[in-house]
Amino acid sequence: MVQLTESGGGAVQAGGSLRLSCTISKDNSNTYCMGWFRQAPGKEREGVATIDEDGNTNYANSVKGRFTVSQDSAKNIVYLEMSRLTADDSAEYYCAAKRSGGYCYTTSAFTYWGRGTQVTVSS
């Protein structure tokens, strides 16, 4: 079983920064491809970033150069550092996981999802 819990969301002014955390609780020794997604009201869910078990990362074009995904494997935490935030970054942010193997992209089929954390950027 895998449970994901996001934290770190909040309200920030445009140009500011936030760090989201995804704490992974699991009862196995499997490795996972981890992803961050977001969904704004009235919009489709958007893939933001992924990181695989080897630390390889991928980013959506809209966040490249502003967001950084990282992981602390010892603590089973995945982070999303967000900087130079704009109003367009306002959304519910979700952490997701899939068993390692195959591609680790936001277009991959993720099995486990957290409940989300809200990010609101005011301009």
Side-chain angles (χ1 to χ4, degrees):
M1 185 179 73
V2 175
Q3 289 186 323
L4 306 175
T5 305
E6 303 93 338
S7 61
V12 64
Q13 289 191 331
S17 302
L18 275 177
R19 186 177 79 164
L20 305 183
S21 299
C22 173
T23 301
I24 306 160
S25 299
K26 59 188 179 106
D27 58 1
N28 55 64
S29 59
N30 297 329
T31 58
Y32 293 85
C33 156
M34 301 300 300
W36 283 100
F37 297 79
R38 66 186 182 186
Q39 188 166 20
K43 295 188 177 181
E44 291 189 356
R45 186 175 66 199
E46 175 188 17
V48 175
T50 58
I51 185 167
D52 69 13
E53 67 276 16
D54 295 323
N56 299 304
T57 59
N58 285 283
Y59 297 94
N61 287 334
S62 58
V63 306
K64 274 182 185 176
R66 300 188 301 121
F67 289 15
T68 302
V69 60
S70 62
Q71 60 190 354
D72 185 331
S73 298
K75 295 182 179 179
N76 283 335
I77 301 176
V78 176
Y79 301 101
L80 184 68
E81 298 267 6
M82 308 184 294
S83 63
R84 289 185 281 143
L85 287 162
T86 72
D88 288 341
D89 295 316
S90 294
E92 189 80 12
Y93 282 72
Y94 299 90
C95 174
K98 63 179 283 289
R99 281 281 301 273
S100 295
Y103 295 110
C104 184
Y105 297 146
T106 56
T107 52
S108 302
F110 284 80
T111 308
Y112 305 100
W113 292 82
R115 293 188 175 185
T117 185
Q118 179 68 40
V119 172
T120 303
V121 184
S122 57
S123 55

